[in-house]
Amino acid sequence: MSFPVRKSVFAGIAGISLVGTVAGCAPSAQSTPAQSTTGASSSAPADGTAGSSSAASGYQDGTYSADGNYVSPNGTETVGVELTLSGGTVSDVSITQHPSNPNTRKFQGEFAGGIAAQIVGKKLDELSVSKVAGSSLTSGGFNQAVEKIKSEAR
Amino acid sequence: MPHPGWAAFSFDGIGTSWEVSTPGPLEARQRRRLLAVVEEYDAAWSRFRTDSIVARAARQPGRFVMPVGAGALGRLYRSLYRLTDGAMTPLVGGSLEQLGYDPAYSLRPRGIPLPAPRWDDVLDWQDAVLTTTAAVVLDVGAAGKGQLADLLAVELRAQGAGEHFIDASGDLLNSGPAPVTVALEHPYDPGRAIGTISLGTGALCASAANRRAWGDGLHHVLDGTTGSPVSTVVATWALAENAMTADALATALFFVPGKALQQDFEFSWLTVFSDGSAAYSAGFKGVLFE
């Protein structure tokens, strides 16, 4: 179960990092790779309870948070991400807002509300479906490299 | 399995997992033919192996004769290159490598994002013949998986296995009239779906920023004009007659609104933005959970 847990965390953080660029509202507002790449992944255990023992087996249940930075036309902004893990899945995602101006507040607020209100998810095993359409599963080499980077970042 | 009782042939190809389902099991000879189609495609187009044709094109300019189907692929890419103002381009391979998505899977950026070269400056693509004036890293990842699914379908039909279902790791091609209920993967949580759709004859392909992602804001859908990952769209789905078109349009939706693409292509689409909102065409109405 360790891989799905880490994967969920990773996907969640990677997705949320996109907020910044939307809030920035301009192509030039891309957050640069270095800003929070490893920072967001490695600083996950924020509650102090899931530290050392998580190294080999993935993250334990708990609430994790990390701040990420991005550059907007208004300067550098910070967005906080909080993930709750339970039983191997992300059970809650929330955005901690650190808006420094009304525009940022509006964009971040819309995003924070958006996940819960607009993209509603149901567990796959609760659905009667025979196939899942989604972005490609990745190759072995790719997955291994991602895992390596994540373990180094921990 | 799309239908109860069907048989599956699973294999790895072009860096991903495949499942070909048929009402009865395929014979060994049929399987070998399918794998040969995969091998031929990979040997031409894979930038992850040193002996491919595109690997040669990455080393030095020249004239490269690609296999059957390259003409259709080139015309589709050319059309989407125009519609996306150069954002979607087969010349994006160098930009991907710059950000770490290279044959060694280093996944470490070499530096700042690098725009792809302009098509007309370096590439002349006439049917199956590519002529380049510089060493270029071609990456047809936006449409190649779909095209290979179509080529496998052609091979299956030639074998008399006209009724089949191809699952190319989430890009789906249904040849038969019996619809298959398909879940749409949640862009932030692969264990969940954001809706379900009934897929009749045709293809349903997806693209998302949650996979092949290797760091904050780093994923495989790059804007060729900047070399940076697209950040306002997180997931797309496209329904079209064939998988190559559906696959390519799923990527094009990262750059251009579905409505604009509908002027040139007959297809249905769903786009999920990074603010959690969604836009879709009539074909996806009622598909999302509420």
Side-chain angles (χ1 to χ4, degrees), chain B residues 6-48:
Chain B
W6 279 34
F9 172 39
S10 300
F11 55 89
D12 286 332
I14 62 167
T16 195
S17 314
W18 294 72
E19 185 184 89
V20 174
S21 303
T22 42
L26 295 169
E27 295 166 16
R29 183 186 46 83
Q30 293 177 297
R31 296 179 183 208
R32 276 199 302 274
R33 278 299 309 149
L34 291 175
L35 294 179
V37 171
V38 174
E39 168 57 23
E40 186 189 28
Y41 202 84
D42 198 60
W45 292 110
S46 175
R47 65 180 178 88
F48 291 90

Side-chain angles (χ1 to χ4, degrees), chain B residues 175-203:
Chain B
S175 81
V180 173
T181 306
V182 175
L184 309 178
E185 182 185 278
H186 194 297
Y188 298 134
D189 183 353
R192 288 174 185 266
I194 60 170
T196 60
I197 191 166
S198 177
L199 175 62
T201 307

Side-chain angles (χ1 to χ4, degrees), chain B residues 92-272:
Chain B
V92 78
S95 308
L96 284 161
E97 292 189 347
Q98 176 76 359
L99 294 187
Y101 196 11
D102 51 45
Y105 291 110
S106 76
L107 306 185
R108 313 238 178 221
R110 295 174 189 171
I112 59 166
L114 185 72
R118 287 161 41 90
W119 188 311
D120 291 327
D121 290 347
V122 295
L123 174 64
D124 181 35
W125 189 328
Q126 298 293 334
D127 278 321
V129 179
L130 277 65
T131 309
T132 58
T133 54
V136 292
V137 186
L138 292 162
D139 182 285
V140 295
K145 181 147 63 93
Q147 183 171 41
L148 181 52
D150 290 335
L151 292 171
L152 291 172
V154 168
E155 172 61 28
L156 283 162
R157 278 196 293 274
Q159 294 177 359
E163 199 179 352
H164 56 259
F165 188 98
I166 299 174
D167 180 352
S169 288
D171 286 342
L172 309 172
L173 177 61
N174 185 17
S175 81
V180 173
T181 306
V182 175
L184 309 178
E185 182 185 278
H186 194 297
Y188 298 134
D189 183 353
R192 288 174 185 266
I194 60 170
T196 60
I197 191 166
S198 177
L199 175 62
T201 307
L204 171 61
C205 292
S207 192
N210 67 330
R211 297 289 184 84
R212 295 195 191 233
W214 59 97
D216 183 60
L218 291 180
H219 59 80
H220 73 292
V221 186
L222 303 190
D223 182 331
T225 62
T226 63
S228 290
V230 179
S231 55
T232 50
V233 172
V234 292
T236 61
W237 286 264
L239 273 168
E241 191 180 28
N242 63 68
M244 177 177 73
T245 307
D247 194 8
L249 288 169
T251 296
L253 286 166
F254 271 71
F255 307 109
V256 178
K259 252 190 187 146
L261 294 169
Q262 271 181 296
Q263 292 171 8
D264 287 64
F265 292 94
E266 198 171 310
F267 80 119
S268 296
W269 52 274
L270 163 65
T271 302
V272 174

Side-chain angles (χ1 to χ4, degrees), chain A residues 7-8 10-19 21-22 27 30-33 35-38 40 69 89-91 107 110-115 117-125 127-142 145-146 148-149 152, chain B residues 1-2 15-16 19 101 105-109 145 165 167 169-172 180-194 196 204 206-220 228-232 234 237 272 274-278 289-290:
Chain A
K7 187 164 191 164
S8 298
F10 187 64
I13 288 173
I16 278 141
S17 72
L18 301 169
V19 182
T21 37
V22 164
Q30 296 273 2
S31 38
T32 60
Q35 275 175 342
S36 49
T37 304
T38 52
N69 298 318
T89 58
V90 177
S91 59
F107 282 117
E110 281 174 358
F111 180 81
I115 275 196
Q118 294 181 271
I119 300 302
V120 179
K122 290 188 180 172
K123 281 204 164 178
L124 279 175
D125 52 18
L127 299 168
S128 176
V129 296
S130 43
K131 285 289 177 186
V132 177
S135 176
S136 337
L137 287 166
T138 54
S139 69
F142 184 90
V146 168
K148 199 176 86 191
I149 284 176
E152 284 171 6
Chain B
M1 208 68 57
T16 195
E19 185 184 89
Y101 196 11
Y105 291 110
S106 76
L107 306 185
R108 313 238 178 221
K145 181 147 63 93
F165 188 98
D167 180 352
S169 288
D171 286 342
L172 309 172
V180 173
T181 306
V182 175
L184 309 178
E185 182 185 278
H186 194 297
Y188 298 134
D189 183 353
R192 288 174 185 266
I194 60 170
T196 60
L204 171 61
S207 192
N210 67 330
R211 297 289 184 84
R212 295 195 191 233
W214 59 97
D216 183 60
L218 291 180
H219 59 80
H220 73 292
S228 290
V230 179
S231 55
T232 50
V234 292
W237 286 264
V272 174
S274 54
D275 66 354
S277 65
F289 298 135
E290 289 180 353

